Amino acid sequence: MHFLFQTLKATLVTMFLLASPSMGKEAQTRESKEIECLAHNIYYESRGEPRKGQIAVGHVTMNRVKAKGFPSTVCDVVTQKSKTFCAFSWNCMKNLPPLRPEKYEEVKELAFKIYHGKIRDVTQGATHFHNTTVKPAWAETKRVTAEIGQHVFYRN
């Protein structure tokens, strides 16, 4: 029962915040989709990480939107692929684990705040990260900005 109340509360808060009278219906729909893409990216890239790690992944996504050489929307950044890689590994997985609704609602609220600049960037402008269990070749060409949980964050 408590979970249902929390989910309803989070949904109503998000709906209220998105229903800005100065924003047209089309813009509200586009913003809602962008926040949904950001939430999915945070969830699948960092659901097992501490809150600070989830915030960091959200900021990497937003930093890419602002950076040259990356797509200009959150959804395009999140789903960016080439012939040999997915920018975010979960997009290449065939069998994603199911979303846990209570965890996803928390992440969605976090995504909303990150999207609207309500949470400070703990990565110092990072546009890349990787799990500490791997060392990609591109890491040699970038500067480490933070290590949070099981991730290392970088920028050019």
Side-chain angles (χ1 to χ4, degrees), residues 34-60:
E34 290 283 279
I35 291 169
E36 196 77 32
C37 288
L38 182 58
H40 272 82
N41 204 43
I42 294 168
Y43 183 88
Y44 282 116
E45 287 292 330
S46 63
R47 67 189 173 281
E49 292 294 306
R51 182 176 169 88
K52 187 176 180 181
Q54 293 173 352
I55 290 168
V57 168
H59 276 289
V60 166

Side-chain angles (χ1 to χ4, degrees), residues 41-91:
N41 204 43
I42 294 168
Y43 183 88
Y44 282 116
E45 287 292 330
S46 63
R47 67 189 173 281
E49 292 294 306
R51 182 176 169 88
K52 187 176 180 181
Q54 293 173 352
I55 290 168
V57 168
H59 276 289
V60 166
T61 310
M62 295 306 294
N63 291 340
R64 285 185 177 200
V65 171
K66 298 171 198 165
K68 292 179 184 175
F70 292 99
S72 61
T73 70
V74 173
C75 292
D76 288 345
V77 162
V78 169
T79 59
Q80 186 179 18
K81 295 179 183 180
S82 74
K83 290 180 182 179
T84 58
F85 80 98
C86 288
F88 296 99
S89 59
W90 67 273
N91 279 306

